[in-house]
Amino acid sequence: MEKTFVMVKPDGVSRGLIGRIVARFEEKGFAIVDAKLTQLDRQLAESHYEHLHSKPFFGELVDFITSGPVFAMVLEGKDAVQNARSIIGATNPTDAIAGTIRGDYATDVASNIIHGSDSYENAEREIGLYFH
Ligand code: IDP
């Protein structure tokens, strides 16, 4: 069994999508092993997204992700990282197929509803950042 880190972003929380998003992971067969509603400070946001530091949208991303509460989760299951990314869909909702969370609920890459770790190493790192 593998763990991954998934987070409903401020747009998903404010739109009342936590329940529907959690249900999708439960229906797929994931176990929720930890979860919390929390608000990121800029330090945590910049640390989480440090690999994007040089991107032109970095400031906008940090503003957005700190703009309201997020719902952070640790999910456990077989091939958790890859299976969660499949449910989440492509980074840009325009490319995300219907049936994925971003494909069904989002239209804009800057507010794409949900985060999911993209590798086993990043899952470990992100779980450590949010749950310690
Ligand atoms: P991921 O979230 O699918 O792993 P990353 O490339 O790691 O994709 O990007 C992290 C987050 O940065 C995205 O989920 C999105 O919120 C934001 N982002 C990515 N590209 C853009 C952009 O061109 N404009 C604004 N925000 C972006």
Side-chain angles (χ1 to χ4, degrees):
M1 285 293 169
E2 186 174 277
K3 285 182 182 153
T4 192
F5 175 75
V6 167
M7 181 171 84
V8 183
K9 295 179 178 180
D11 53 336
V13 174
S14 68
R15 287 174 54 194
L17 296 174
I18 293 173
R20 266 170 280 184
I21 288 171
V22 168
R24 288 186 178 216
F25 290 103
E26 290 183 319
E27 285 161 2
K28 177 74 172 173
F30 283 100
I32 299 166
V33 296
D34 212 341
K36 65 177 174 185
L37 194 71
T38 187
Q39 180 135 8
L40 279 67
D41 59 24
R42 293 190 79 81
Q43 190 182 1
L44 177 55
E46 288 173 5
S47 182
H48 179 149
Y49 286 117
E50 66 185 8
H51 62 293
L52 299 173
H53 193 262
S54 61
K55 299 283 186 191
F57 58 83
F58 184 71
E60 179 192 356
L61 173 59
V62 171
D63 287 347
F64 163 66
I65 208 74
T66 58
S67 66
V70 299
F71 190 71
M73 290 173 270
V74 180
L75 303 180
E76 189 173 70
K78 186 173 187 304
D79 297 324
V81 170
Q82 200 182 332
N83 276 317
R85 292 283 291 191
S86 298
I87 291 173
I88 288 168
T91 302
N92 189 334
T94 305
D95 302 324
I97 59 173
T100 64
I101 292 168
R102 287 168 173 166
D104 288 351
Y105 296 127
T107 57
D108 184 355
V109 70
S111 51
N112 59 3
I113 296 286
I114 185 163
H115 166 81
S117 306
D118 63 2
S119 68
Y120 178 81
E121 293 70 27
N122 281 335
E124 295 268 289
R125 178 178 170 273
E126 290 163 9
I127 290 167
L129 276 177
Y130 286 82
F131 294 95
H132 50 263

